[in-house]
Each structure stands twice: as structure tokens, then as C-alpha cells.
């Protein structure tokens, strides 16, 4: 015969210096910290909490750009997006930028040829003269060196050179969309120990 004993568990926030959770059980949580401790406290290593990136989002493509880049919002078809991100701090070393698409979307394993940052090609062939004023052009020394895809994650190695507060954009091709519009249809971008708020994805066609 089993017996259930009701109890309340108190979770403390991570200690900033140690990044450790303290897990303790008390007889009456309403009288904490004066309640009797029921068991020996447990410790758990916390996660590294990242700073919020200033901004990130998908950039709308024009009808001409959709045609040039073969935009295709049908389920399971190869596709392309243009992403914008705005850094909170200026990076001090080479780091990986991580793009997370909704579950079901897939990036190519070797995606270095799928990413474009050059100002004369990003928005279309020979479009440097039409570069949007709101976006900062990428320094040539900071062009991506490597891109590795794994399911709905793309990890892009970016050398030094990007600056805080500027808005940067890149075009990124996907191996395929998901099978349907995701229930949680949001993307994120992480870079330089910051993470963006989840930003809206796009609906896939339904038949």
C-alpha cells in the first residue's frame, strides 16, 4: 500500500556568483524561513542566463526578391529568409551566431553557401546602390567563416568587426520548411552571450 504525503517545495533563484539552485522542503511554506526543514537541501547547477539582444526579426521580401531567391512557403519545400539582428554589446572575439527556426524546419548541414551578407548580393544581384539605410553593411573582415546546420538550428561563425546598436541583416536558405505552420511559430537569434526575444515566423501554405 502506498501513501501520498503532501508537501511544498521552495525554489530559490540562482545565486549570481555561483549559478546554483538550492532546493529545500519545509513543513509549512507560509511560515518560511521559520518553518521546520523536512529534508537535507539539494543543490543543482543553474544555467547561464543570457542578456537580451536589442532586436531581431525576419525581414519582409519584396515580390521581386521572392522571385529572385525562389521563395517558397509550401510545406517541406526549400526556402529562404532574411534575418535582422541588433547587438547589445560589441563582440570582443570570434563567436557563433545561432539561428533557431521553429521545429520541423531544417537547415543544410554545411550551410556556408546558404548564407549571404555581401551588400551587393544580399537583397539581389548588384543591389549595393539600393542598400536600405536602416541596416549597417557588414565589414568584409567579418563575413561568416563557417555555417553548420542541425535540424532547425544553424550555427554561423562570425569574426570580429560587428558593432553594438547597429542593425545587421543576412540572407539564409533552408533545406526545407516544416510540414505545416508550427503551433509555436517563432524564431530566435543568439550571439555574443545575448538572445533575442522570440520573433514571428511566417505561415506555410495549406491545401
Amino acid at each position: 500500500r502506498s501513501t501520498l504525503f503532501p508537501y511544498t517545495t521552495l525554489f530559490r533563484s540562482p545565486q549570481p556568483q555561483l549559478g546554483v539552485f538550492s532546493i529545500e522542503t519545509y513543513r509549512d511554506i507560509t511560515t518560511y524561513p521559520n518553518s521546520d526543514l523536512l529534508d537535507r537541501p539539494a543543490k543543482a547547477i543553474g544555467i547561464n542566463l543570457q542578456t537580451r539582444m536589442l532586436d531581431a526579426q525576419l525581414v519582409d521580401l519584396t515580390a521581386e526578391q521572392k522571385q529572385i531567391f525562389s521563395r517558397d512557403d509550401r510545406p517541406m519545400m526549400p526556402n529562404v529568409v532574411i534575418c535582422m539582428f541588433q547587438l547589445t554589446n560589441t563582440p570582443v572575439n570570434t563567436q557563433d551566431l545561432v539561428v533557431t527556426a521553429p521545429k520541423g524546419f531544417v537547415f543544410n548541414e554545411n550551410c556556408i553557401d546558404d548564407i549571404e551578407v555581401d551588400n551587393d548580393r544580399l537583397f539581389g544581384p548588384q543591389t549595393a546602390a539600393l542598400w536600405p539605410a536602416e541596416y549597417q553593411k557588414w565589414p568584409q573582415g567579418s563575413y561568416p567563416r563557417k555555417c553548420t546546420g542541425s535540424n532547425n538550428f544553424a550555427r554561423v561563425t562570425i569574426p570580429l568587426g560587428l558593432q553594438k546598436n547597429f542593425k545587421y541583416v543576412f540572407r539564409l536558405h533552408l533545406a526545407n520548411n516544416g510540414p505545416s505552420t508550427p503551433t509555436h511559430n517563432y524564431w530566435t537569434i543568439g550571439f555574443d552571450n545575448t538572445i533575442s526575444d522570440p520573433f514571428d515566423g511566417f505561415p506555410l501554405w495549406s491545401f
Side-chain angles (χ1 to χ4, degrees):
R1 179 181 176 182
S2 61
T3 304
L4 298 178
F5 295 93
Y7 69 92
T8 301
T9 303
L10 173 68
F11 289 91
R12 288 181 179 173
S13 298
Q15 302 173 32
Q17 298 86 352
L18 300 178
V20 174
F21 284 93
S22 178
I23 305 171
E24 302 167 346
T25 55
Y26 293 86
R27 186 177 302 279
D28 184 359
I29 194 63
T30 62
T31 61
Y32 174 82
N34 299 317
S35 176
D36 294 337
L37 188 64
L38 295 180
D39 205 348
R40 188 191 326 187
K43 303 291 183 180
I45 303 298
I47 61 173
N48 290 325
L49 301 180
Q50 294 181 307
T51 304
R52 179 177 175 270
M53 185 179 285
L54 287 182
D55 193 15
Q57 60 184 314
L58 296 180
V59 177
D60 291 333
L61 276 66
T62 65
E64 182 181 6
Q65 289 167 345
K66 289 179 180 180
Q67 183 176 10
I68 292 172
F69 303 132
S70 300
R71 172 79 179 213
D72 192 340
D73 291 348
R74 292 177 295 172
M76 303 305 294
M77 297 300 292
N79 212 351
V80 59
V81 294
I82 295 180
C83 300
M84 182 280 294
F85 65 99
Q86 185 178 19
L87 296 178
T88 305
N89 302 301
T90 297
V92 296
N93 51 36
T94 295
Q95 297 184 48
D96 287 346
L97 178 147
V98 179
V99 181
T100 304
K103 288 184 177 180
F105 287 69
V106 177
F107 294 102
N108 288 308
E109 183 176 357
N110 181 4
C111 49
I112 190 61
D113 291 333
D114 296 334
I115 188 166
E116 183 60 74
V117 301
D118 188 84
N119 66 330
D120 203 32
R121 297 188 296 269
L122 197 157
F123 289 104
Q126 299 179 334
T127 53
L130 303 176
W131 184 264
E134 64 264 36
Y135 303 133
Q136 180 72 10
K137 296 177 181 178
W138 285 64
Q140 288 192 349
S142 299
Y143 282 18
R145 291 181 179 173
K146 182 180 179 181
C147 180
T148 304
S150 177
N151 296 319
N152 60 318
F153 299 94
R155 184 176 296 273
V156 186
T157 302
I158 299 176
L160 280 175
L162 303 188
Q163 302 293 316
K164 67 179 181 180
N165 298 326
F166 289 122
K167 293 183 177 181
Y168 295 95
V169 287
F170 58 89
R171 189 176 77 243
L172 183 59
H173 292 254
L174 296 102
N176 61 264
N177 297 318
S180 61
T181 300
T183 302
H184 186 76
N185 193 15
Y186 297 98
W187 296 57
T188 61
I189 293 177
F191 185 57
D192 192 38
N193 295 317
T194 66
I195 186 73
S196 72
D197 289 337
F199 51 91
D200 289 339
F202 51 90
L204 298 178
W205 295 3
S206 58
F207 302 94

